[in-house]
Amino acid sequence: MKIVMLGAPGAGKGTQAKMIADKYQIPHISTGDIFRANIKDGTELGKEAKSYMDKGQLVPDELTVKILLDRVAKDDCKNGYVLDGFPRTIPQAEVLEEALNNLQDKIDYAVNVEVPDENIVRRMGGRRACLSCGATYHIEHIPPKTEGICDRCEKELVLRDDDKPETVQKRLDVYHEQTQPLIDFYNKRGVLKEVDGTVDMKEVFAAIVNILG
Ligand code: ADP
Ligand code: AMP
């Protein structure tokens, strides 16, 4: 099963993608996590990606597409995957589609997690991330067991640089301009599924499981 998660930054794509990955035993692939791991390790890719991420801009397609295609070619992706944060532009979606076409394959579901912009701004300010294992929490809605510490790996949680209020609005603008058109792209291919992302994360997940079966 090959799944694409759609939705604004902060809609809950990562939260749901991790739960999907656990239940269906497929890898969760987040281009944002891959970039953050590279930033943490100080790689050239990380340095280049950070210059865009900190401004709330998208990392250029050439760079992002290569990373994603390399990742989905790995052995653990044979039975499918859930993509979180990719594609984010029509050209990215077209490259993925072509690569899958060449394998007589396709995306089975594009799950759009719908959350209005006003809720997003509140959510991003409260998001805390573990840069070690990629887990995310929310200080009010989904708090860790111990404040500021990751439940899974016990490392310190941080407010992501790009979750600061001045960057969040820019990311939302970029989303509406460059990423939202993907809803229509996948709708035309008959694989779009919409879920209400404003309810409790368990309810969102139940709606997704209902769709995926
Ligand atoms: P995305 O991957 O789409 O950027 P995340 O999954 O990181 O979004 O979620 C953004 C923030 O909102 C996080 O702090 C997360 O804990 C919180 N969150 C996710 N789903 C819900 C929900 N259904 N209700 C309230 N908060 C949520
Ligand atoms: P995310 O963790 O998905 O919120 O992504 C964080 C940031 O990484 C984004 O704001 C972009 O700057 C960059 N990024 C992640 N995925 C992509 C992508 N598919 N295309 C371009 N930039 C991306």
Side-chain angles (χ1 to χ4, degrees):
M1 186 154 52
K2 298 186 174 64
I3 305 163
V4 161
M5 301 301 290
L6 297 176
K13 299 182 297 295
T15 303
Q16 296 301 325
K18 286 185 190 83
M19 295 161 84
I20 293 171
D22 276 352
K23 180 170 169 73
Y24 297 93
Q25 292 294 298
I26 49 176
H28 162 218
I29 301 176
S30 154
T31 36
D33 281 352
I34 296 174
F35 290 137
R36 279 185 290 277
N38 275 275
I39 293 172
K40 192 163 160 264
D41 293 344
T43 69
E44 279 309 311
L45 167 67
K47 277 179 206 147
E48 183 161 5
K50 187 170 166 45
S51 67
Y52 296 96
M53 290 166 76
D54 282 354
K55 286 187 266 187
Q57 296 169 351
L58 296 183
V59 177
D61 286 344
E62 309 80 73
L63 211 63
T64 311
V65 158
K66 181 171 184 327
I67 286 162
L68 192 277
L69 292 183
D70 285 351
R71 178 64 189 89
V72 295
K74 296 223 157 87
D75 257 10
D76 64 335
C77 291
K78 274 204 196 101
N79 294 327
Y81 41 75
V82 51
L83 300 184
D84 158 22
F86 186 99
R88 257 182 162 100
T89 64
I90 296 279
Q92 290 182 12
E94 287 172 344
V95 173
L96 175 64
E97 183 170 60
E98 200 191 317
L100 287 169
N101 265 340
N102 290 338
L103 304 167
Q104 273 91 51
D105 207 346
K106 64 176 190 57
I107 292 297
D108 300 300
Y109 299 100
V111 179
N112 183 33
V113 184
E114 284 183 286
V115 177
D117 284 11
E118 1 5 316
N119 299 35
I120 296 286
V121 177
R122 270 200 305 276
R123 275 197 194 178
M124 304 285 250
R127 171 157 65 182
R128 294 294 178 272
C130 174
L131 297 183
S132 185
C133 75
T136 47
Y137 302 85
H138 189 280
I139 48 176
E140 287 165 41
H141 308 301
I142 306 168
K145 289 194 189 88
T146 310
E147 197 185 319
I149 303 292
C150 180
D151 291 350
R152 290 214 297 219
C153 65
E154 299 187 343
K155 297 264 166 45
E156 202 179 331
L157 299 175
V158 298
L159 173 68
R160 276 167 44 178
D161 284 342
D162 60 347
D163 280 350
K164 295 188 174 142
E166 56 278 20
T167 318
V168 170
Q169 191 53 52
K170 171 70 188 162
R171 293 172 67 198
L172 275 172
D173 295 344
V174 167
Y175 166 75
H176 289 302
E177 202 179 298
Q178 301 195 56
T179 308
Q180 211 169 12
L182 291 173
I183 296 175
D184 192 43
F185 178 96
Y186 284 110
N187 195 19
K188 285 196 176 119
R189 280 142 183 87
V191 295
L192 181 72
K193 305 286 171 189
E194 312 251 14
V195 294
D196 177 5
T198 62
V199 295
D200 182 87
M201 62 184 259
K202 291 200 185 77
E203 283 178 56
V204 181
F205 187 58
I208 293 177
V209 169
N210 210 12
I211 291 164
L212 304 182

